[in-house]
Amino acid sequence: MSRFRRQVCAAAAVLTGMALTVALPPAPASAAESIPTVTAGAMPTPQVDGIVFTVAIVGNTVYAGGRFSKARPAGVAPGGPGEVDRTNLLAFDLTTGDLLPWAPVVAGTTYTSANNPGPYCKTVGTNTYLCDTVFRIKKSPDSSKIYVGGDFDKINGVRQAKIAGFTVADGSMDTGFRPVVNSRVRGIGVTADTVYVGGGFTTANGATRTRLAAFGTDGSLKPWAPTADSEVFAVAAAAPQGKVVIGGAFGKLNGVSRRAMGAVDATSGTSVTWPASPGAGSVVTDIVTDGNGTAFMGAYDFSGVNPRFEGRGAVDIASGTKKWFDGCLGDTQAVTVSNGVVYSGSHTHDCAPLNAAPAGGPITYYRLVAETAAVSRTSTINFNHVNVGDPLPEFLPWFPNTNGGPPGSTWDNGPWSLDSNSEYVVAGGEFTTVNGQAQQGLTRFAARGVAGAVNNGPQVPFTAPTLTKNAGNPVISWTTTWDAQNSDVTYQVMRVGTSGPIYSVTQSSRPWLKPQLSYIDRAVTGGTYYVRAVDADGKAIGSPQATI
């Protein structure tokens, strides 16, 4: 039994006695639970009128790409004051949230076909389509350039086929980097001298390249030419290990069976040892590295047959061996890692090995979640692709949330993209609300102590206590609440007319596990009571009153 479960079991007992008596004190939080996340309150961030598929933090600037035509300030409805044109790319200030003037016009060419290219493209007439979406933005290691990949074929009216570079200092397009790719670019990995790309293409700079290619920073095609038999979604260049980690919908890599994830040599493109393997229907959507030899990834599964990789995983890049899979269900679209925490955008709904986010719980989908990057414990059950004894991370108490998107969404995924640094986490997607408030397409969260960080504390509803009597004295019983960014909440029993709390106790909880607590007030025979819930960040709420 985990410390958290022992703590819950202890707290479920009735706490009795006089004001200073606690029969069963809470157990201390586990070391993993003490790893701090960013706060869970959304900060003011620009909005878009469509979907943000990618975000990238470069210094104090956030670059966002996707499928949209307008941007507007936080708190403004579509078409409202301050709305401006932004065509599939925009930038905003990381610390202030202010929209920046950078506004390249990313476009595609309308074409007619009997074959519908799918929902990432726009239908603009009968059998007529426009594909101009931006899927990925990655920065160079020295942060002097960003590289943008997608479906587009023009930027600012100039032909630029599927991949482009921009100079960060002045926002100008890098006219010295002009590769030509014949179809979608979805994944990008960058080293000091190479831009690796993956997607759905079959040629690059006129040469055969089967969904994977590499260019010099001058746009020249490199001989690196591994192959994938279906679309590549994610490419992560791991320069220290001399490898490129690849994820996607493929079943073969370099002609050999390799489902959804694998790695190749960064120079030759030959496959390298990679024993880690997800389920047969898995599609790896995003891969990030921590700079210390670990690749973190998210995935979805199209088969519906267990075992299926829909959550997150960590793999040692040097050996290709699994460090952990979390066993969670609910497709994951994005991952990012910072300060020992893996943040993800998904619709997580059952993490049985982690004792978290149970199916049928009070929240249907947890669309933004956090887990420890390091192994925290081992599984006690067999579930999905996790077996008894397998290493596991810890599911951390960080519970901001979004909706899935606008009515009629093809995907209803909510978040599609994440990036982070030591102080911020930025999310992009198709969501139209964050923490229940209107906010479309972009949001950001900051670490404690960062100017403007928004704490998101104890949650409502927090119902009035139930009052009964024991030997003539009031028994105050209440259901605990949960906190969006802390494991523990302190509960203060208040008697109206008495200064300060008459009793206080600290208890861990989660949205799906809210223990019952009680206290006997032996000082009086009746009164009016309520309970305050206060977290470590000073956020507090109070229950309604009850009288006996």
Side-chain angles (χ1 to χ4, degrees):
M1 181 180 287
S2 69
R3 285 187 179 180
F4 178 67
R5 283 185 171 265
R6 287 198 301 270
Q7 186 173 339
V8 168
C9 291
V14 174
L15 303 175
T16 63
M18 292 185 294
L20 298 180
T21 301
V22 182
L24 294 168
S30 70
E33 289 173 5
S34 68
I35 295 175
T37 64
V38 293
T39 57
M43 304 171 73
T45 310
Q47 305 178 81
V48 298
D49 64 345
I51 305 176
V52 173
F53 286 116
T54 180
V55 291
I57 298 172
V58 185
N60 194 45
T61 300
V62 180
Y63 296 91
R67 193 180 71 188
F68 50 82
S69 61
K70 301 286 184 181
R72 63 188 190 274
V76 173
E83 185 173 77
V84 295
D85 292 336
R86 289 294 186 272
T87 311
N88 300 334
L89 281 174
L90 63 78
F92 66 90
D93 186 288
L94 176 62
T95 57
T96 67
D98 294 336
L99 188 68
L100 297 175
W102 188 70
V105 177
V106 179
T109 300
T110 300
Y111 72 99
T112 300
S113 173
N115 298 317
N116 190 320
Y120 293 115
C121 299
K122 305 167 190 172
T123 301
V124 295
T126 302
N127 292 333
T128 305
Y129 306 99
L130 176 64
C131 302
D132 59 2
T133 298
V134 172
F135 286 105
R136 193 75 68 177
I137 304 172
K138 284 292 181 72
K139 68 179 181 178
S140 61
D142 64 1
S143 296
S144 66
K145 299 284 181 66
I146 59 168
Y147 295 93
V148 176
D151 280 342
F152 55 85
D153 60 20
K154 292 186 292 292
I155 295 180
N156 295 333
V158 177
R159 180 165 175 77
Q160 191 79 32
K162 318 304 180 189
I163 178 79
F166 292 87
T167 300
V168 168
D170 61 7
S172 63
M173 195 161 64
D174 181 0
T175 57
F177 181 79
R178 300 195 63 193
V180 177
V181 181
N182 75 328
S183 193
R184 176 175 296 162
V185 169
R186 192 151 188 175
I188 302 176
V190 187
T191 65
D193 60 3
T194 305
V195 180
Y196 299 94
V197 299
F201 54 85
T202 56
T203 68
N205 286 7
T208 298
R209 289 293 187 271
T210 309
R211 302 180 184 89
L212 290 160
F215 303 99
T217 54
D218 62 355
S220 60
L221 184 67
K222 293 200 169 190
W224 189 82
T227 63
D229 68 344
S230 192
E231 189 167 8
V232 172
F233 282 51
V235 176
Q241 291 78 32
K243 298 179 181 180
V244 178
V245 185
I246 300 164
F250 51 84
K252 290 183 178 181
L253 190 60
N254 282 332
V256 176
S257 292
R258 171 55 55 194
R259 182 70 226 174
M261 68 167 80
V264 300
D265 184 272
T267 302
S268 68
T270 57
S271 295
V272 299
T273 301
W274 195 267
S277 180
S282 299
V283 176
V284 169
T285 56
D286 199 15
I287 303 172
V288 296
T289 63
D290 63 357
N292 295 310
T294 301
F296 299 91
M297 55 199 66
Y300 72 84
D301 182 276
F302 61 82
S303 71
V305 178
N306 287 334
R308 58 190 202 260
F309 180 29
E310 294 182 345
R312 281 67 56 188
V315 178
D316 177 70
I317 298 170
S319 64
T321 56
K322 175 186 73 174
K323 287 192 170 183
W324 55 259
F325 285 166
D326 63 12
C328 295
L329 299 180
D331 299 344
T332 299
Q333 303 299 329
V335 291
T336 187
V337 60
S338 176
N339 298 331
V341 178
V342 178
Y343 299 92
S344 57
S346 67
H347 60 267
T348 295
H349 59 86
D350 193 348
C351 293
L354 304 183
N355 300 320
I363 296 175
T364 303
Y365 294 133
Y366 296 80
R367 298 189 182 274
L368 291 166
V369 302
E371 296 164 299
T372 57
V375 169
S376 173
R377 55 193 176 89
T378 57
S379 179
T380 59
I381 65 170
N382 296 321
F383 182 82
N384 203 5
H385 52 273
V386 172
N387 296 314
V388 171
D390 281 356
L392 292 172
E394 189 77 21
F395 201 95
L396 295 172
W398 186 69
F399 302 111
N401 217 344
T402 76
N403 67 346
S409 166
T410 300
W411 305 280
D412 202 40
N413 278 338
W416 279 86
S417 55
L418 293 172
D419 200 9
S420 59
N421 63 15
S422 62
E423 294 187 326
Y424 292 90
V425 172
V426 177
E430 60 177 314
F431 50 83
T432 59
T433 66
V434 180
N435 292 336
Q437 302 298 311
Q439 176 66 30
Q440 187 173 5
L442 286 164
T443 191
R444 62 193 174 111
F445 307 92
R448 292 167 174 85
V450 172
V454 178
N455 290 315
N456 186 3
Q459 301 293 297
V460 294
F462 182 38
T463 57
T466 299
L467 304 182
T468 57
K469 285 198 173 183
N470 180 300
N473 298 117
V475 179
I476 304 96
S477 302
W478 69 97
T479 300
T480 57
T481 185
W482 57 277
D483 193 278
Q485 61 188 48
N486 289 281
S487 178
D488 292 348
V489 175
T490 295
Y491 298 92
Q492 300 171 340
V493 178
M494 312 295 291
R495 186 199 309 130
V496 174
T498 300
S499 177
I502 61 171
Y503 176 70
S504 181
V505 62
T506 299
Q507 174 61 48
S508 289
S509 60
R510 296 291 187 271
W512 57 87
L513 198 57
K514 300 186 293 183
Q516 299 284 321
L517 299 177
S518 295
Y519 171 69
I520 300 176
D521 185 0
R522 298 199 182 277
V524 296
T525 58
T528 297
Y529 298 87
Y530 65 97
V531 180
R532 293 182 77 240
V534 186
D535 72 11
D537 299 302
K539 297 291 286 185
I541 59 174
S543 74
Q545 295 180 357
T547 301
I548 191 170

